[in-house]
Amino acid sequence: MDSHVVSLHNYPACPNPDLASGAGPHSDVSSITILLQDDVGGLYVRANECDKWIHVESVEGALVVNIGDSIAHRVLVSGSKNRVSIPIFVTSAPNAVIGPLPEVLEPGERPTYKQVMYQDYFNYHFSKGHDGKHTIDYAKM
Ligand SMILES: O=C(O)CCC(=O)C(=O)O
Ligand SMILES: [Fe+2]
């Protein structure tokens, strides 16, 4: 059984935006994230571990969809405007066991990741702060 978590983010304008961080680099621990952002902008995504951050332009009426932990993202605050975003995180149930599907392994192949309880994975993510795409390391064999 899945769970859904709705967050309401308010990023106040900051007179020194270069000294502030809205949300540090991270990837989500949800199966899917569906995000509504206002027209202020400030959400950036980064492909793999490359250095280039790409601004996700706000498009009126459009939703941003993240699949699993596929993309690192961050939020920079504006020097003059408040920003509001509303992500909906579709997650596993807290007591669900997540891990690699045995069906996708070749005969004799060892999985890279172990089975973990979703609640433990979630708690690990929020215990360490935003550090890019490293939550998955928790499940490494
Ligand atoms: O505010 C945003 O646009 C993104 C928020 C976010 O990345 C998160 O809550 O995980
Ligand atoms: Fe996120």
Side-chain angles (χ1 to χ4, degrees):
M1 174 100 159
D2 285 349
S3 294
H4 301 78
V5 178
V6 180
S7 293
L8 303 174
H9 295 309
N10 178 41
Y11 303 90
C14 177
N16 292 307
D18 295 343
L19 301 179
S21 168
H26 69 281
S27 59
D28 296 340
V29 285
S30 46
S31 307
I32 296 179
T33 306
I34 302 163
L35 177 110
L36 178 66
Q37 60 171 339
D38 64 15
D39 61 358
V40 173
L43 175 63
Y44 291 77
V45 295
R46 182 173 69 177
N48 299 321
E49 291 296 321
C50 81
D51 291 337
K52 193 168 157 36
W53 287 98
I54 300 161
H55 189 234
V56 181
E57 296 291 334
S58 176
V59 176
E60 193 178 344
L63 298 167
V64 177
V65 178
N66 284 344
I67 309 294
D69 72 346
S70 58
I71 194 108
H73 51 282
R74 69 176 182 181
V75 178
L76 301 184
V77 294
S78 162
S80 58
K81 292 179 176 170
N82 278 19
R83 174 175 186 270
V84 170
S85 72
I86 307 174
I88 299 174
F89 301 97
V90 181
T91 70
S92 301
N95 62 354
V97 174
I98 59 171
L101 296 172
E103 297 90 325
V104 300
L105 296 172
E106 297 293 334
E109 184 183 357
R110 292 168 148 268
T112 305
Y113 299 99
K114 60 189 175 204
Q115 310 270 328
V116 295
M117 179 105 72
Y118 180 70
Q119 182 74 64
D120 296 338
Y121 188 68
F122 180 95
N123 289 342
Y124 173 73
H125 175 75
F126 285 101
S127 71
K128 67 179 174 44
H130 287 154
D131 64 351
K133 291 185 62 177
H134 295 295
T135 304
I136 190 73
D137 294 346
Y138 176 76
K140 273 223 168 99
M141 287 289 212

